Amino acid sequence: MDDKLPWLKRLVAHNWEIKVMSLLLAVITWFAVRAAISFEMAVRDVKLDPQLKEGMAILDQSASSVDVTFRGSQDDIQRLDPRRVRAVVDLRAKGTTSTEWVNVGAGDIEGARGLNVIYINPARIRFLLDHEEEKRVPVKGRTTGRPLAGEVEEVTCDPSTVLLRGPARKLKSTPLVYTEPIDVDGRIASF
C-alpha cells in the first residue's frame, strides 16, 4: 500500500496548476453550454391525437389537450410552431370496450424538433373506449327570437336525416339531432 501512495501523490501533485486550470475551464464551459441550451417555452392546449384501431371509438376522455414545456437552444425555441405540436396517443392495443389510463410521455409529443420535453400536464389521461357504429337519425330545426308578427309554424330541414358514426353507447341514446339555432327575430316571411 505504501508503494501506491507516492505514485498517487505524484499524479495529483505533478503539474497541479495545469490540472486546477483545466478543471476550472471545464466547469466554466459546462455552465456556458448549459446557459445556451436552457431556454424554456410552455405550449398550452396541445391537441391530443388518439390513434385507434378500426371499429373503435372514444366514448369519453378526461382531457382533450395537454400543456407541454420544452427546453432547448434559443434558436430551436424560436423555430417552434405551437400549431404543429401534437400529442399522439396510441390506443390500438387497448380493448374495445374498456376504460384505459394512458401515460403521455416525451416520446408521444410530435412537431418539436431539437427540443427536450421537460413537463407534460396532465401526464395521465383516461379514455373510455367503445365499439364504433353508424345510425341514421332525423334532424330537427331549432329557432331563436320572435318573428315580427305571428309565430313559427314549421321548420323543415333538408336533409331530413343524417348518418352519425361514433361510440355505440352514445348512438343508442341519440334519437335525433338538432340544428344550430336559426334566428327568426323580426322575420315577416318564409326563408
Side-chain angles (χ1 to χ4, degrees):
M1 175 117 170
D2 290 337
D3 293 339
K4 291 183 181 180
L5 251 165
W7 178 81
L8 184 61
K9 195 174 189 180
R10 268 184 295 157
L11 180 68
V12 172
H14 185 65
N15 293 329
W16 69 270
E17 298 93 357
I18 293 173
K19 292 175 182 170
V20 169
M21 186 63 106
S22 297
L23 180 63
L24 184 61
L25 285 174
V27 169
I28 290 171
T29 302
W30 184 82
F31 277 108
V33 168
R34 182 175 163 94
I37 63 168
S38 291
F39 290 90
E40 293 183 4
M41 179 178 180
V43 178
R44 299 184 61 75
D45 297 325
V46 172
K47 182 181 179 291
L48 279 176
D49 186 7
Q51 304 292 305
L52 302 168
K53 67 182 172 187
E54 192 70 31
M56 284 177 61
I58 297 173
L59 182 62
D60 189 35
Q61 63 192 61
S62 60
S64 60
S65 65
V66 293
D67 298 336
V68 183
T69 303
F70 296 98
R71 178 181 291 153
S73 70
Q74 186 174 13
D75 289 341
D76 289 337
I77 291 287
Q78 287 174 343
R79 278 195 296 265
L80 179 65
D81 183 359
R83 297 171 298 191
R84 293 185 177 220
V85 178
R86 65 187 185 132
V88 179
V89 180
D90 191 359
L91 299 170
R92 291 178 286 205
K94 307 298 182 185
T96 51
T97 56
S98 62
T99 299
E100 300 289 341
W101 285 93
V102 178
N103 293 323
V104 181
D108 299 323
I109 307 299
E110 294 183 355
R113 288 182 54 192
L115 296 173
N116 294 320
V117 175
I118 59 170
Y119 183 70
I120 300 172
N121 184 38
R124 196 165 155 83
I125 310 234
R126 179 189 52 80
F127 290 92
L128 181 56
L129 304 175
D130 198 2
H131 293 286
E132 182 179 58
E133 290 185 1
E134 290 182 345
K135 180 180 180 182
R136 188 163 294 281
V137 295
V139 179
K140 183 171 179 169
R142 289 188 295 183
T143 61
T144 183
R146 291 189 50 118
L148 190 59
E151 59 187 57
V152 176
E153 291 180 14
E154 179 184 15
V155 176
T156 306
C157 297
D158 185 24
S160 61
T161 63
V162 292
L163 183 64
L164 300 179
R165 179 179 297 157
R169 285 183 265 178
K170 190 168 232 168
L171 289 178
K172 284 180 185 173
S173 64
T174 307
L176 58 98
V177 293
Y178 289 97
T179 65
E180 289 290 319
I182 302 164
D183 187 8
V184 296
D185 200 40
R187 296 285 186 163
I188 56 173
S190 280
F191 66 97

